[in-house]
């Protein structure tokens, strides 16, 4: 059963999850926009998505790119949770997971680390 939650409350949880990022890592995040959307248009079950050039893939030719984006899909997360406590946990996992992609951590490695 999906959890009902206002968009404002969900946005607050995303902000709280971003606050969990250690200061030294947060300081290394640059030119990234975090968005909240209801659902991914093509994959309605997708919880989050990083779109950009990971730090590990940037070289001296990197420049002039639009900001990287991290999109958190509110309705998809609410659909997989049964309580607000689960939403808090899933939002945190999803935000950290997508931030990790910015730092170049692969999907496979994230699953190995328990952040899949």
């Amino acid at each position: 059963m999906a959890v009902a939650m206002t968009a404002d409350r969900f946005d607050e949880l995303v902000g709280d999850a971003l606050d969990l990022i250690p200061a030294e890592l947060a300081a290394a995040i640059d030119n990234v926009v975090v968005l909240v959307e209801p659902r991914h248009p093509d994959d309605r079950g997708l919880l989050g998505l990083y779109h950009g050039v990971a730090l590990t893939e940037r070289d001296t030719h990197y420049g002039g790119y639009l900001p990287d984006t991290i999109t958190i899909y509110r309705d998809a997360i609410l659909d997989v949770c049964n309580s607000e406590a689960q939403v808090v946990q899933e939002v945190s996992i999803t935000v950290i997971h997508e931030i990790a992609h910015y730092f170049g951590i692969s999907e496979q490695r994230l699953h190995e680390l328990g952040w899949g």
Side-chain angles (χ1 to χ4, degrees):
M1 181 174 190
V3 174
M5 181 177 288
T6 68
D8 287 342
R9 173 67 177 136
F10 191 90
D11 291 349
E12 182 181 303
L13 296 179
V14 171
D16 292 346
L18 290 167
D19 289 343
L20 295 174
I21 299 168
E24 55 275 2
L25 288 179
I29 298 172
D30 186 42
N31 205 30
V32 177
V33 176
V34 178
L35 306 169
V36 176
E37 298 289 338
R39 289 192 192 277
H40 187 277
D42 299 322
D43 185 349
R44 297 181 55 79
L46 189 64
L47 305 182
L49 180 66
Y50 167 73
H51 184 264
V53 179
L55 288 180
T56 55
E57 297 177 13
R58 296 178 185 183
D59 60 18
T60 56
H61 300 292
Y62 179 81
Y65 284 86
L66 292 174
D68 292 6
T69 59
I70 292 173
T71 307
I72 307 300
Y73 297 108
R74 179 183 57 250
D75 292 348
I77 290 176
L78 294 176
D79 283 351
V80 300
C81 295
N82 294 317
S83 67
E84 183 164 330
Q86 282 185 330
V87 175
V88 170
Q89 181 179 13
E90 193 58 55
V91 166
S92 295
I93 289 169
T94 304
V95 167
I96 300 296
H97 180 106
E98 301 309 331
I99 292 286
H101 285 317
Y102 169 81
F103 285 105
I105 301 173
S106 71
E107 194 73 29
Q108 178 181 350
R109 184 65 179 138
L110 283 168
H111 283 276
E112 291 169 359
L113 295 170
W115 290 98

